[in-house]
Amino acid sequence: MSSPFRTTRRTYSVVVCVYTEDRWEDILAAVASVRQQSLPALETLLVVDHNPALLSRLSATFTGRGDEEVRVLANAGPRGLSAGRNTGIAAARGEIVAFLDDDAVAERDWLRYLDEGYDDPRVMAVGGRTQPAWASGRRPGWFPEEFDWVVGCTYRGLPPGRVRVRNVLGGNASFRRTAFDAAGGFATGIGRDGDRRPLGCEETELCIRLARALPQAVLLIDDRAVIHHKVPTAREGFGYFRTRTYAEGLSKALVARSVGSGKGLESERRYTTRVLPAGVVRGLRDALLGRAGGAGRAGAIIAGVATAAAGYALAHVRTRSGVAFSHGPIAAYAKRPDGEAESLSSTAPESDAAQDAEPVVEPNAGPGAEPAPAAGGGPR
């Protein structure tokens, strides 16, 4: 019986950005899942975000043993997920650069299904489906599937199958290397910074920028390309839900200022006017039928919309006009012959707006996709 997958010569570099030794076992599991792919990756790049102890430990574990499949790199830019990804892109040798979260594991055919999308030369990015792996063993009864983006997972409202989208979701995504040559890298001044601030939307901004640079570009999500994303107990509570939705509003305000509210919020309009009202009705119906969690899910949807709107409004008021964050060429993250990274200060300086926006984050990112109506959409 012939294989359902085509023989391919495309090569893949898988970038895993890491920042804490607390996720040591998760990091090893992520690397192991890449090694077990039915379509082998050319390499796995572990990019360490300004953590010398973790950098040393990973280097000893992989590089020190002569493991040529895994390379360990220090983030060559400012602290944060965006610069870490850019560092990985700059070092990647593969034709396609794929991204996997450090607390996720990919199913065996993850890369093969991503790869199928690139048979069309217009396709510049392909993402997959991210399923939550709840630390408690099951979804909290009140947690609505429409808000699974809160924990970095695929949410209810995205259509099934392989569909064209506005943007892929960063923890389970791939891009042609040439996409970054055309559009630049992920923007700094937005996105994750370890555990300090649960912002997001850096992939949304990049994908919109990519579509502007290459108007004929096609971006896809294929729900057969599955990863399982760990959701720790601390993120199963309503406190994190509230903080994350609030931060999503902050992030969306920055994106809207950068690319305009038309592109920055087009998917969110569909999500908030169609997907979420249906979720509220479903929850209330379940409550009337005596099904556990129905009222809680309806209430959580309403609360999530309210806190995201509050974050958006506050960031909109506090940030100044103009580009809210910055991006530059991937070459800025490449190493010089002496082994040191190029200085980023002159290439991609942080904007005043990004600096002004940060203090509005509470001390203690969402869905998105759709150049075509069928693609659905939400907060990322």
Side-chain angles (χ1 to χ4, degrees), residues 125-187:
V126 184
R129 175 161 51 98
T130 303
Q131 296 182 332
W134 303 96
S136 63
R138 60 184 301 180
R139 172 187 298 274
W142 62 270
F143 202 113
E145 293 181 5
E146 292 82 358
F147 275 80
D148 276 5
W149 56 264
V150 165
V151 291
C153 296
T154 303
Y155 58 96
R156 185 169 191 160
L158 282 177
R162 185 195 294 170
V163 293
R164 188 172 180 177
V165 296
R166 179 193 69 180
N167 64 275
V168 295
L169 307 183
N172 180 2
S174 63
F175 294 82
R176 290 190 193 271
R177 181 62 176 76
T178 53
F180 303 106
D181 296 333
F186 289 92

Side-chain angles (χ1 to χ4, degrees), residues 318-320 351-360:
R318 292 194 179 185
T319 54
R320 294 197 286 269
S351 68
D352 291 337
Q355 295 170 6
D356 290 347
E358 184 175 333
V360 304

Side-chain angles (χ1 to χ4, degrees), residues 93-115:
R93 298 166 180 157
E95 177 186 353
I96 311 294
V97 182
F99 299 95
L100 179 66
D101 276 349
D102 65 343
D103 54 353
V105 294
E107 291 192 358
R108 175 173 166 76
D109 292 324
W110 174 60
L111 285 180
R112 280 201 181 274
Y113 284 124
L114 292 179
D115 185 67

Side-chain angles (χ1 to χ4, degrees), residues 18-19 48-52 74-80:
V18 302
Y19 71 98
V48 183
D49 192 14
H50 298 272
N51 185 331
N75 181 354
R79 185 182 301 276

Side-chain angles (χ1 to χ4, degrees), residues 255-285:
V255 171
R257 280 197 177 276
S258 176
V259 302
S261 60
K263 281 292 183 183
L265 299 176
E266 63 180 358
S267 293
E268 289 70 22
R269 293 189 183 97
R270 168 177 289 271
Y271 174 75
T272 55
T273 58
R274 300 187 186 183
V275 176
L276 295 184
V280 172
V281 170
R282 192 179 304 109
L284 294 176
R285 182 190 61 201

Side-chain angles (χ1 to χ4, degrees), residues 75 78 80-87 186-192 202 333:
N75 181 354
L81 181 57
S82 290
R85 287 173 173 165
N86 290 341
T87 299
F186 289 92
T188 58
I190 192 171
R192 290 275 182 171
E202 66 278 5
Y333 291 82

